[in-house]
Amino acid sequence: MVIELDKDNLADYMSEKHLLVVASADWCGSCKKLKPHLHKLEGDVTVVIVDAEKHLRSMKFLPGKTEFYPRLGYYENGYYIGVITQLDIINGLKLGKI
């Protein structure tokens, strides 16, 4: 399931068993290229796309500074597991089976 936030409410999804948070920006070409691949992810994963420039409260769930887009963080049951790369997604990473 892929969800693009229209409100600053990432907190509503943090309890998902497998959650991939994608921080993006409207002007980011790489973010636009990544989106179709997010719909092809295998496994029981919820993908939430956050507009990093509009949803500042939601961005606080990603540890550290955002220096580039897209920025991806993977969570299991509300706990931050680590960074997933754009290349991992394109190559068909099976989340929930890491």
Side-chain angles (χ1 to χ4, degrees):
M1 168 172 43
V2 177
I3 301 159
E4 288 193 57
L5 293 185
D6 52 5
K7 293 188 270 183
D8 199 358
N9 63 335
L10 178 60
D12 295 348
Y13 300 95
M14 291 307 296
S15 63
E16 294 288 325
K17 186 172 182 181
H18 303 287
L19 175 67
L20 177 64
V21 176
V22 180
S24 67
D26 290 339
W27 50 263
C28 172
S30 294
C31 300
K32 292 174 186 173
K33 290 179 184 176
L34 179 63
K35 282 185 185 180
H37 297 282
L38 296 172
H39 291 275
K40 297 176 187 175
L41 279 175
E42 293 184 25
D44 183 25
V45 62
T46 300
V47 178
V48 178
I49 301 171
V50 177
D51 186 321
E53 296 178 332
K54 292 180 185 174
H55 303 127
L56 301 179
R57 184 177 47 206
S58 293
M59 286 298 295
K60 292 182 179 183
F61 284 99
L62 287 168
K65 288 187 173 187
T66 301
E67 296 178 9
F68 57 87
Y69 298 110
R71 181 173 176 211
L72 297 91
Y74 180 63
Y75 300 78
E76 288 184 356
N77 299 312
Y79 292 96
Y80 181 71
I81 302 300
V83 173
I84 304 295
T85 69
Q86 185 174 351
L87 188 58
D88 291 332
I89 300 297
I90 291 170
N91 287 333
L93 178 69
K94 294 180 182 177
L95 293 173
K97 298 178 182 181
I98 296 176

